[in-house]
Amino acid sequence: MSSRSDASGVSAWSWLGDFLATQRVSISFLIFSVLVLHDLGAGKRVRDPCNVGDSWAVFGLVLVSLGLALRSWAAGVLRKGHELATTGPYQLCRHPLYLGSMLMMSGFSLLVADAANGLVVAALLCIVYLPTIRREETKLAARHGESWRAFARTSP
């Protein structure tokens, strides 16, 4: 794919990045649905999250629970489009919603005893979520200026 711009001045890479960022939830849902259907069709074993003797299952359940809790907390604090969120979970990291999603996806992939699921999740995170975070930070810097830069310097 070339990085040349079309008649509107939008490069193909820019368009793809915008598409992946705006459709990340649908893309994630589609990929997870395909993984689940594939795993069910292939008769893959799903770990029992109630089996405390299976440390991978317990770790997967902990990741899903932490991710859900973090996303819930962050969603309760965020006033999207109104002000820069710097309190609550945003004091701990700049993108708690994305971190929560990443934790949940990683936890779910651990609950299925298939390393390929982990690789698919890692690819999804690298191809969709990390570029989305970079795009969002660029937009936040443009919108909030020095407030964003000061926050970004002090927040991991």
Side-chain angles (χ1 to χ4, degrees):
M1 189 179 287
S2 165
S3 63
R4 289 180 289 163
S5 297
D6 65 13
S8 68
V10 176
S11 77
W13 287 115
S14 178
W15 176 87
L16 179 61
D18 289 343
F19 174 79
L20 293 174
T22 59
Q23 299 302 315
R24 68 187 174 279
V25 174
S26 299
I27 292 167
S28 300
F29 179 77
L30 176 64
I31 288 174
F32 263 86
S33 296
V34 169
L35 285 176
V36 167
L37 291 174
H38 174 267
D39 290 344
L40 289 173
K44 299 283 168 113
R45 179 178 71 86
V46 177
R47 298 181 194 277
D48 179 3
C50 297
N51 178 3
V52 294
D54 183 350
S55 57
W56 287 110
V58 171
F59 187 51
L61 182 61
V62 167
L63 288 177
V64 170
S65 300
L66 286 174
L68 182 60
L70 184 58
R71 280 196 57 83
S72 298
W73 184 21
V77 169
L78 185 63
R79 296 191 57 222
K80 197 171 189 171
H82 295 285
E83 62 188 42
L84 182 62
T86 58
T87 61
Y90 292 88
Q91 290 176 304
L92 305 174
C93 72
R94 288 194 296 259
H95 302 284
L97 288 168
Y98 295 136
L99 178 58
S101 294
M102 291 176 193
L103 290 172
M104 288 191 308
M105 286 187 270
S106 299
F108 280 122
S109 70
L110 283 177
L111 290 172
V112 177
D114 184 3
N117 285 357
L119 294 174
V120 170
V121 167
L124 178 65
L125 297 176
C126 291
I127 294 169
V128 177
Y129 283 84
L130 293 179
T132 297
I133 289 170
R134 283 194 287 277
R135 287 177 119 62
E136 187 170 303
E137 289 193 347
T138 300
K139 289 179 182 178
L140 288 168
R143 181 176 186 154
H144 297 286
E146 185 51 38
S147 296
W148 166 256
R149 287 186 284 281
F151 172 66
R153 281 192 298 272
T154 60
S155 178

